[in-house]
Amino acid sequence: MILEPTDGAPTPAAKLDRALVRAVVLARIWAAQLECGEVESIKAPAQREKLCNHYTTRLLPLAYLAPDLVSQILEGRQPRAASLGTLTAGPLPTDWEAQRLRFHQLGNAAA
C-alpha cells in the first residue's frame, strides 16, 4: 500500500510492523479482561500466554494509545522509529497529546 501525502511529495510504502501490531492487540485484549474482571491481575494473562510478567506489564500501556496512533500502527503508517522496542523502552505517556508528540519526535528522529 502506498500513501500519498497531500503536498505531492512521494512517501515510502507503508510497512506493517507485525510485532507492534501483535503487541497492541494483546494489550487491548488483556486490558479488556482486566477491566471486566475476567482476570484479577496482569499475571493471569502472562501465565496463560507463557510470557514473563515484566513483558506483559511493559505491553499493557499500548492498550491505551490514542485511536489515531493505533490506526497508524494497524495501517503501517507509524514512524519507522516507532517500533515495539522504542515504545516500550520507557514509560508511555497516558495523555494522548503527549503520545502524539512522542510519535512526532520519533518520526523526526528517523528523518
Side-chain angles (χ1 to χ4, degrees), residues 21-98:
V21 169
R22 180 179 185 275
V24 169
V25 169
L26 285 175
R28 291 179 73 123
I29 291 169
W30 299 335
Q33 291 171 342
L34 286 164
E35 290 165 6
C36 76
E38 186 178 324
V39 296
E40 292 183 19
S41 73
I42 193 64
K43 289 180 182 181
Q47 290 171 344
R48 184 180 60 239
E49 302 282 339
K50 296 183 173 122
L51 298 170
C52 167
N53 290 340
H54 177 71
Y55 182 72
T56 55
T57 302
R58 281 181 46 207
L59 294 188
L60 189 59
L62 296 173
Y64 303 101
L65 279 173
D68 56 307
L69 300 180
V70 171
S71 292
Q72 285 181 31
I73 292 167
L74 295 178
E75 295 167 7
R77 297 182 296 111
Q78 78 281 357
R80 289 185 189 265
S83 66
L84 179 57
T86 58
L87 291 177
T88 60
L92 189 65
T94 55
D95 176 70
W96 287 354
E97 284 305 316

Side-chain angles (χ1 to χ4, degrees), residues 14-25:
K15 182 164 175 16
L16 196 64
D17 182 336
R18 294 187 187 280
L20 183 55
V21 169
R22 180 179 185 275
V24 169
V25 169

